[in-house]
Amino acid sequence: MPNNQSLTPLKMLLFSFHATNTIIISFLPLYLNYKGLNGTEIGWVLAVGPLAAIFSQPFWGYMSDKYKTVKRMLIICIFGLLISSVLFFQMNGLLAIILMGFVFYFFTSPIGALGDSLAQRRADDLRISFGTIRTWGSIGFATSSLIVGAVLSEIGVQYMIWPYLFFGATALIVAFRLTDVKVESDPIQLSDVKRLAKNKPFIIFLFMIMFLTISHRANDSFIGLYITELGGGEGLVGIAWFIGVASEAAVFALAGRWFRKYHTLLFIIFAGTIYSLRWFLYAAVDDPMYILALQFLHGLTFGVFYLASFEYITRLIPSILQSTGHLVFYSVFFGVSGIIGSLTGGALIDSYGGGTLYFVLGCCALFGTLSLTAFHLLPYGKKA
């Protein structure tokens, strides 16, 4: 099978899954607000996803490494996504939403990491840039945010389940056509996983980036509410995400050659600096159109940060632990950081408003950037 044909299902999977992810990230807070939840309660519900990710992502990563397959784990998780999403969107009370949300996120949270892990391995096999594959996820995210945002502004956010199921079903169909990874080594054992915990550069790096990922995840959760607080609606939320993820897709598509010339940590520090500036600017605006104008910075922050961090993590861990290591990274990015960002962000925006929230996020990102700069100057920062 030609290389371009073998990659088509993988690209379509990333496109379809991130299209579903758009709907959850961009519009679930608005949906919960429609259900009658306040900012603090929305923060509790959004924190359930990262909490589930802490357990589910290492679990599915371990299963993937143990049985030497990413494809089968993806199919199982997408099946779970479709079934649990139908139940999740039927819930009404806060407790019911939280409990069913945990089941829903248990299946959905590992899909992105498993897909990226498969993309990284396929890129290595074919000697091409990971970003050229991963950019299809960003294209799916951007396309979905624009189309679904326009649709929901017409029919109402309460019907967001239907576009979600459409893209989820598409992801399941193309998952059966994926080319799985070929692993020649012995299956992973639990004793091998302990090697990650003893990898000091890996652990230190994960701790340092948390200050950036907390700010990123809080923005993911509450930018929609902030735009509505400033006077915007679902359509503007969709456009904001489209602009941001379009810039992210451009970075993913063009970044392949960058890491060959400079140390990847320098790109992470650069992204952290732009993160800090971005949040301080968001805190200062009083019109949602300024948020839209600044959304191009999403590519220079998340796009650069994610690619550089993923590349750096890949260098730090042995090949047999690639899926597990990538999902541990995901657990920090979308798990621990998501819990902290959702809970504190919900309380801040509920009590003090979006401007104060983004000022705090700017301070958090600035501290993380300074910490990573110090990390780069230490011996552990140069071992990768």
Side-chain angles (χ1 to χ4, degrees):
M1 180 180 291
N3 289 344
N4 61 340
Q5 290 182 352
S6 67
L7 285 176
T8 299
L10 177 56
K11 292 176 179 179
M12 289 305 300
L13 172 75
L14 295 176
F15 179 96
S16 303
F17 169 71
H18 286 280
T20 67
N21 213 25
T22 301
I23 299 170
I24 295 299
I25 293 176
S26 303
F27 302 109
L28 183 60
L30 301 181
Y31 174 81
L32 296 173
N33 189 47
Y34 168 82
K35 288 275 189 176
L37 277 62
N38 61 35
T40 301
E41 291 171 333
I42 292 173
W44 277 99
V45 175
L46 297 180
V48 170
L51 177 63
I54 292 175
F55 298 97
S56 67
Q57 288 176 352
F59 169 77
W60 290 110
Y62 172 77
M63 296 295 288
S64 174
D65 286 334
K66 181 175 179 61
Y67 294 103
K68 298 189 288 187
T69 174
V70 177
K71 177 179 177 178
R72 280 187 288 168
M73 299 304 138
L74 279 168
I75 291 173
I76 293 171
C77 287
I78 297 172
F79 263 119
L81 174 152
L82 291 172
I83 296 171
S84 61
S85 64
V86 173
L87 298 175
F88 175 64
F89 281 98
Q90 301 304 313
M91 302 296 106
N92 290 309
L94 177 61
L95 182 59
I97 292 174
I98 289 175
L99 293 177
M100 196 62 228
F102 186 91
V103 177
F104 168 70
Y105 282 113
F106 183 84
F107 289 104
T108 59
S109 58
I111 297 175
L114 288 170
D116 285 358
S117 182
L118 181 58
Q120 179 72 63
R121 296 186 187 196
R122 296 287 292 133
D124 291 342
D125 290 343
L126 300 176
R127 300 179 182 275
I128 60 176
S129 168
F130 164 68
T132 60
I133 304 175
R134 179 56 177 79
T135 190
W136 283 92
S138 300
I139 294 172
F141 200 119
T143 303
S144 176
S145 65
L146 192 62
I147 296 174
V148 176
V151 170
L152 293 182
S153 65
E154 294 294 329
I155 66 174
V157 72
Q158 66 268 30
Y159 297 110
M160 62 180 284
I161 180 62
W162 298 113
Y164 187 83
L165 290 177
F166 171 79
F167 286 115
T170 304
L172 179 62
I173 293 170
V174 298
F176 283 100
R177 297 179 55 84
L178 289 174
T179 300
D180 209 351
V181 295
K182 294 181 180 179
V183 182
E184 305 297 336
S185 58
D186 294 332
I188 186 175
Q189 304 297 325
L190 280 174
S191 58
D192 295 324
V193 181
K194 296 179 182 178
R195 294 163 59 187
L196 286 179
K198 296 179 180 179
N199 188 327
K200 291 183 179 179
F202 178 69
I203 299 301
I204 294 173
F205 176 72
L206 290 180
F207 176 77
M208 294 294 182
I209 65 171
M210 276 185 58
F211 295 98
L212 293 173
T213 56
I214 287 171
S215 71
H216 176 88
R217 294 296 289 142
N219 172 71
D220 280 353
S221 297
F222 298 105
I223 186 173
L225 292 180
Y226 188 40
I227 288 174
T228 57
E229 178 184 306
L230 294 175
E234 288 90 348
L236 280 185
V237 173
I239 294 173
W241 276 107
F242 174 80
I243 295 171
V245 182
S247 68
E248 171 192 315
V251 169
F252 281 166
L254 300 174
R257 67 194 71 174
W258 298 348
F259 301 147
R260 302 171 190 167
K261 298 181 180 180
Y262 305 102
H263 197 296
T264 49
L265 272 175
L266 294 178
F267 289 97
I268 299 171
I269 293 169
F270 166 79
T273 303
I274 305 301
Y275 261 129
S276 306
L277 175 64
R278 181 185 175 190
W279 305 146
F280 285 133
L281 289 173
Y282 280 25
V285 303
D286 57 3
D287 188 301
M289 298 306 296
Y290 289 117
I291 299 293
L292 268 63
L294 292 169
Q295 273 294 89
F296 79 94
L297 292 175
H298 179 80
L300 296 177
T301 50
F302 175 72
V304 174
F305 176 81
Y306 181 82
L307 279 180
S309 298
F310 206 82
E311 176 82 9
Y312 191 65
I313 289 292
T314 301
R315 296 180 186 181
L316 283 177
I317 54 182
S319 58
I320 191 177
L321 296 171
Q322 290 288 292
S323 290
T324 304
H326 290 156
L327 287 182
V328 170
F329 167 64
Y330 255 67
S331 294
V332 170
F333 200 139
F334 299 101
V336 176
S337 300
I339 293 174
I340 298 172
S342 296
L343 292 178
T344 57
L348 284 171
I349 199 170
D350 205 23
S351 301
Y352 303 103
T356 299
L357 168 63
Y358 277 95
F359 178 79
V360 173
L361 297 187
C363 294
C364 185
L366 180 60
F367 180 79
T369 303
L370 295 176
S371 300
L372 283 166
T373 303
F375 175 67
H376 180 54
L377 300 176
L378 296 173
Y380 286 135
K382 299 179 179 179
K383 272 192 174 182

